[in-house]
Amino acid sequence: MPKRSAGVLLYRGHGAALEVLLVHPGGPFWANRDDGAWTIPKGELLENEPLLTGAQREFLEETGHTVSGTFTPLGSVRLKSGKIVYAFCVEGDLDPATVRSNLFEAEWPPRSGKIRKFPEVDRAGFFGLEAARVKLHPGQLPFLERLLSHLL
C-alpha cells in the first residue's frame, strides 16, 4: 500500500489578488532548493485517520496554526515516489512570519553518526498563482488548477 499524505491549501483574496500559502521543507537536503521545492502544508496520515482530520493535524504541526472554515476536497495526486497526497482548500489568513513547525531528527552530515534536529518547515509565504506555479513541487500543481475550478 502506498504512503498517504493529506494537507490544506490555504488561500486568501480573489481574482487577480488570489494568493496561496506554501511552505518550504526544512533540513539540509532542501536548504539550497527553491523553485519546485515548496509544498502545501501536508504530511503522512496516521493509520485509519480520516483525510480531513489528518490534513488539519498536519497543518497545525507544520505551521503552528489551526485552520477552520469550509473545507473543499481537491482530490488527490500520485507523486513519482508513489505517495498519494490528498488536499483540501479553505479560505483564511495568517502571518507567514509566525509559522513554527515541529522538528524531525536526521543524521547530519551523512554517515557521521551525529543526530541533529531540523524544522519540518523552515519558512512559509503567500504567493500569487504565477509565482506559486514556479515554487510548488510539480507533483502538486494540479491542486492549484482544482482550486481555481472551485472558485469559478
Side-chain angles (χ1 to χ4, degrees), residues 75-102:
S76 66
V77 296
R78 182 181 291 271
L79 303 181
K80 286 182 182 180
S81 66
K83 179 186 283 186
I84 299 172
V85 179
Y86 300 88
F88 296 84
C89 67
V90 65
E91 186 172 14
D93 199 4
L94 61 81
D95 179 355
T98 64
V99 165
R100 299 288 178 268
S101 79
N102 57 344

Side-chain angles (χ1 to χ4, degrees), residues 4 6 14 17 22 33-34 44 48 54 98 104 109 128 146:
R4 299 179 325 136
H14 296 281
L22 302 179
R33 297 173 186 222
D34 191 56
E44 287 192 26
N48 298 319
T98 64
F104 72 94
R146 294 174 193 168

Side-chain angles (χ1 to χ4, degrees), residues 59 72 92:
F59 190 92
T72 301

Side-chain angles (χ1 to χ4, degrees), residues 14-75:
H14 296 281
L18 180 67
E19 295 181 311
V20 295
L21 180 76
L22 302 179
V23 296
H24 186 271
F29 180 76
W30 298 101
N32 296 317
R33 297 173 186 222
D34 191 56
D35 291 350
W38 293 67
T39 182
I40 66 170
K42 63 165 186 53
E44 287 192 26
L45 291 164
L46 303 175
E47 190 172 336
N48 298 319
E49 183 176 32
L51 296 175
L52 182 55
T53 301
Q56 290 172 304
R57 177 184 52 77
E58 285 294 335
F59 190 92
L60 175 61
E61 288 180 7
E62 293 203 347
T63 68
H65 293 269
T66 58
V67 64
S68 61
T70 302
F71 291 87
T72 301
L74 296 176

Side-chain angles (χ1 to χ4, degrees), residues 90-125:
V90 65
E91 186 172 14
D93 199 4
L94 61 81
D95 179 355
T98 64
V99 165
R100 299 288 178 268
S101 79
N102 57 344
L103 302 175
F104 72 94
E105 292 184 342
E107 182 180 13
W108 191 259
R111 297 176 295 285
S112 67
K114 297 178 184 177
I115 303 297
R116 294 185 48 199
K117 291 184 178 185
F118 301 96
E120 275 196 55
V121 166
D122 60 15
R123 61 191 182 274

